[in-house]
Amino acid sequence: MSSRRSRQSSSGARISDDQIVQLISKLQQLLPGTRIQRSNKASASKVLQETCTYVRSLHREVDDLSDRLSQLLSTIDADSPEASIIRSLIM
Amino acid sequence: MKVHTSSKLRKEFIKKWVKGLQICCSLKKNMDILERKKKIKLCADIALASTKNETTLWSIALISDAKKDDENKILVDNLLGPESRFKPRMTNRQMIACHKRVRSKKILKKSRHVCQKMKKMGPPKSNLAAYIAKTLVKRRTQVLKRLVPGGESMDEFSLIKEALDYVLSLRIQVDVMRTLANANEVLNQSDSKIID
């Protein structure tokens, strides 16, 4: 476990650097605002930063949506006919 | 294949979410708007984590965090089934001890790191760039650790893997909630039209 954490040696103990690079490029593909041509070697720190920003914005969206929904749903009683209409719409 | 999986996840999320909201409603009839919001969000998070079936660290951490609150524990147990499945991984005392261990290891590592860097300080230019890059990565990893549930106790490799999965799941959550909010708005508008 601790050898995995050690980043001082660039040989990267049990997990190859290659695997990490692959993961980072996968992460990069998820992020919004991907330009058509992304440089092959994504800067790890940039990807990490954008990931953090993205996760934070997703959290904020969930929060805002919860706000909206609590205002719109006067009751979260799922037996109402309203709820069944909604359910059929989103399923 | 990715689309297929995501629509299955969506359905599972919606089912669990609605079920959670039903349980909330049966547990407490009249809520004020703030409480309702919290319940909606909580149910959404638990539903999201449960779609993973304990296969990811973040989902396990999210649920065990939710269970720490006594009030929520009842909801989680009712929603997800028998208690034994989602036992919090560590007791609070164990978690504090674990954190202390992690912190002291970090402090040791940091001092060792600094010492080594001091020794290596050869031609400053080439080292400086690498040093800055490493520091940036380190700092941002720390931030990401705080954002992903359970991230604090993950190694870097797992952290990135978990972050990938977490982002995908969050997107599903946002998408479903947004669809519901929009649908609801339309319904409310048309409702008022009919009444008038």
Side-chain angles (χ1 to χ4, degrees):
Chain A
M1 219 8 175
S2 55
S3 60
R4 245 189 232 170
R5 286 214 196 127
S6 145
R7 281 170 62 247
Q8 278 129 357
S9 60
S10 55
S11 57
R14 275 170 232 167
I15 296 150
S16 65
D17 274 351
D18 214 32
Q19 281 179 289
I20 296 188
V21 168
Q22 266 188 25
L23 273 187
I24 299 227
S25 64
K26 272 195 201 159
L27 201 51
Q28 188 182 26
Q29 285 166 25
L30 280 184
L31 299 172
T34 29
R35 287 162 233 129
I36 301 167
Q37 192 194 40
R38 277 252 167 173
S39 55
N40 282 347
K41 197 177 177 191
S43 132
S45 69
K46 185 108 201 235
V47 171
L48 282 174
Q49 183 188 35
E50 288 183 15
T51 309
C52 292
T53 319
Y54 191 37
V55 170
R56 261 190 284 235
S57 77
L58 286 171
H59 280 170
R60 228 179 303 134
E61 265 207 87
V62 169
D63 205 64
D64 287 343
L65 286 166
S66 307
D67 257 327
R68 266 175 79 192
L69 282 171
S70 78
Q71 286 171 7
L72 291 171
L73 297 169
S74 53
T75 161
I76 48 180
D77 179 8
D79 290 330
S80 64
E82 204 181 46
S84 53
I85 297 174
I86 293 170
R87 238 194 306 246
S88 57
L89 276 173
I90 54 179
M91 294 264 210
Chain B
M1 190 176 159
K2 219 174 192 180
V3 178
H4 206 55
T5 336
S6 105
S7 83
K8 187 173 160 221
L9 282 174
R10 278 174 66 107
K11 289 197 175 161
E12 192 138 0
F13 168 63
I14 294 170
K15 252 199 279 179
K16 289 256 164 76
W17 188 31
V18 169
K19 186 175 173 202
L21 292 176
Q22 273 177 299
I23 296 173
C24 275
C25 211
S26 65
L27 286 176
K28 187 166 183 182
K29 278 294 169 186
N30 290 318
M31 294 187 228
D32 63 11
I33 209 171
L34 200 62
E35 223 184 321
R36 200 156 53 227
K37 177 225 170 152
K38 283 196 196 151
K39 294 293 177 199
I40 290 176
K41 185 155 187 271
L42 177 68
C43 290
D45 285 339
I46 298 174
L48 190 67
S50 77
T51 62
K52 288 287 146 182
N53 253 331
E54 292 188 49
T55 54
T56 59
L57 292 173
W58 70 262
S59 56
I60 295 173
L62 201 153
I63 291 175
S64 57
D65 277 346
K67 286 186 95 169
K68 284 186 193 151
D69 189 311
D70 282 328
E71 194 185 304
N72 298 338
K73 191 168 179 293
I74 304 171
L75 165 65
V76 176
D77 286 341
N78 279 335
L79 180 56
L80 298 175
E83 197 178 335
S84 52
R85 273 186 72 211
F86 285 98
K87 267 208 178 99
R89 280 177 308 154
M90 300 186 247
T91 63
N92 275 344
R93 190 183 276 181
Q94 282 174 314
M95 286 196 81
I96 295 171
C98 180
H99 274 232
K100 276 192 180 162
R101 252 180 282 142
V102 171
R103 271 212 79 205
S104 40
K105 269 192 188 171
K106 280 185 185 171
I107 295 170
L108 265 175
K109 255 187 76 182
K110 199 174 186 184
S111 53
R112 247 191 298 153
H113 195 222
V114 168
C115 285
Q116 280 198 346
K117 277 293 163 199
M118 302 283 251
K119 285 183 199 166
K120 276 189 196 169
M121 270 311 188
K125 218 173 193 180
S126 57
N127 254 353
L128 192 61
Y131 182 65
I132 290 176
K134 271 194 176 174
T135 316
L136 278 178
V137 168
K138 199 159 207 169
R139 210 176 290 164
R140 280 151 192 187
T141 310
Q142 290 309 314
V143 177
L144 189 59
K145 279 189 172 188
R146 270 179 260 138
L147 287 172
V148 174
E152 303 275 358
S153 45
M154 290 181 206
D155 60 276
E156 278 165 26
F157 189 66
S158 310
L159 179 65
I160 302 178
K161 264 206 302 186
E162 294 281 323
L164 259 167
D165 192 76
Y166 187 48
V167 166
L168 286 169
S169 305
L170 276 178
R171 276 172 154 183
I172 293 177
Q173 186 183 38
V174 167
D175 196 43
V176 170
M177 289 176 88
R178 197 186 292 141
T179 313
L180 179 58
N182 290 341
N184 222 325
E185 246 168 35
V186 170
L187 275 176
N188 279 354
Q189 284 174 3
S190 57
D191 260 352
S192 56
K193 279 194 193 144
I194 294 170
I195 292 170
D196 290 343

